[in-house]
Amino acid sequence: MNTSQVVVLFKRYRFFMIMLVILIGLTLVQPELGGTASNLALENLIDMMAVVPPIFILLGLLDVWVPREVMIKLTGEGSGLLGITLAFLLGSFAAGPLYAAFPIAGIMLKKGSKLSNIMIFIGAWSTTKVPMLLYEASAMGFNFMLGRFLLNIPVIMIIGFVVQKSLPQKDLEALYEAAEKL
Amino acid sequence: MFTAILYGLAFGLLLLSFFKDRKKTKMALKKSWKSFENILPQMLAILPLIGLVLAILSPETISGLIGKQSGWLGIAIAATLGSITLIPGFVAFPLAAALLEAGAGISQIAVFVSTLMMVGIVTLPVEMKYFGKRATLTRNALALFFSVAIALILGGLIA
């Protein structure tokens, strides 16, 4: 590894290193709070590492095996109700924290899915996940869960459409171009 | 449980892919690694941040802040706390149930739970990497707005 490669690596991970220095600094000044924070960070790292391998393996397979045309037909421009339904189902039966959904959203962009459908997928992942709904019902009561679920379905769609419509054409094109490089 | 299904699915499909076309499978794994490596800096950077936020905003602190509050101030505090923190649902719901017992209103709890799930300030850098600044901020702002709206409706319906 030559010097310029090290510089690039350093630049890419600078935020991580800054955060790490802050965490270590805090642990030195306030061992109790810093220790708790470090433990929580570590727990989250373990959670993240648990879901990351299968998700990225699926991403790679999706990238290679599913042709762009198929993805566009299913969830792209003009996919209509089918695209919306698929986005909902895909998000609702997923597992893992929301940040694990973003790489999948990235590959959907790359394959030409409509932005509003990708946003619906993100919304469903965050809110209408089936295992989480069961959990919500047991902790908060069935009415609370059902009310939130029913209200969230139109909201998730509205968010998808508004994000799509409010984005200027050139920004939209830039998103799809950036996704090409993922 | 669902993680196990995810693993089963990933490895099952990987095996299927391998038997159908070794070259394509190799390419897929290369792409998997590339997209992982691409997002790794952002993913790693949010970890210490999540640790810090959760350590400072412990369940005790949160229940102290919205436990007995009601009205708009309580909703505003719940929305703020929910937007920053990233507590997974299986921790959030017992906490929310405990808050409810401690006397917090349905609206405050609903806004807390909804923003917790839909609005992520800590994860903005990861989201922006895929959706850019504008779409990311629009999505989060709308999610915040609707979280409050849903909470108010729920508060009216259930309470």
Side-chain angles (χ1 to χ4, degrees), chain B residues 19-88:
Chain B
F19 283 121
K20 281 196 97 171
D21 192 330
R22 285 184 188 202
K23 229 171 147 186
K24 262 188 159 176
T25 308
K26 210 176 149 193
M27 206 158 82
L29 286 176
K30 265 189 187 156
K31 287 191 181 219
S32 301
W33 175 253
K34 213 185 119 202
S35 39
F36 171 64
E37 212 270 332
N38 186 40
I39 194 65
L40 192 61
Q42 280 80 5
M43 288 266 196
L44 281 180
I46 64 171
L47 285 173
L49 194 58
I50 292 176
L52 284 170
V53 167
L54 290 185
I56 295 165
L57 296 174
S58 63
E60 296 78 41
T61 316
I62 293 173
S63 67
L65 284 170
I66 56 172
K68 297 277 177 196
Q69 295 269 8
S70 59
W72 286 101
L73 185 66
I75 289 182
I77 293 173
T80 311
L81 292 178
S83 301
I84 316 170
T85 49
L86 267 174
I87 305 176

Side-chain angles (χ1 to χ4, degrees), chain B residues 92-151:
Chain B
F93 287 125
L95 172 62
L99 288 177
L100 205 60
E101 245 165 57
I106 288 279
S107 297
Q108 285 79 2
I109 299 300
V111 87
F112 180 64
V113 168
S114 293
T115 49
L116 217 53
M117 296 178 148
M118 289 210 282
V119 188
I121 292 177
V122 175
T123 43
L124 284 181
V126 181
E127 195 173 346
M128 280 180 190
K129 176 110 178 151
Y130 292 103
F131 293 122
K133 223 176 231 168
R134 194 167 171 146
T136 300
L137 293 180
T138 312
R139 190 195 73 76
N140 279 279
L142 286 169
L144 179 61
F145 170 78
F146 282 114
S147 295
V148 175
I150 286 178

Side-chain angles (χ1 to χ4, degrees), chain A residues 12-13 16 19 26 37 44-45 50 56 60 63-65 105 109 119 126-127 135-136 139-140 148 152 175 182, chain B residues 7 17 28 31-32 37-38 40-41 44-45 47 49-52 90 93 97 109 114 117-118 130-131 139 150:
Chain A
R12 287 193 65 208
Y13 287 91
F16 173 56
M19 292 310 305
L26 181 76
N44 269 282
L45 176 69
F56 280 92
D63 202 352
V64 169
W65 285 105
L109 274 175
M119 285 290 157
S126 68
T127 305
Y135 202 80
E136 180 172 358
M140 305 297 298
R148 232 174 58 81
N152 263 310
L175 276 192
L182 289 175
Chain B
Y7 269 90
S17 170
K31 287 191 181 219
S32 301
E37 212 270 332
N38 186 40
L40 192 61
L44 281 180
L47 285 173
L49 194 58
I50 292 176
L52 284 170
F90 56 86
F93 287 125
I109 299 300
S114 293
M117 296 178 148
M118 289 210 282
Y130 292 103
F131 293 122
R139 190 195 73 76
I150 286 178

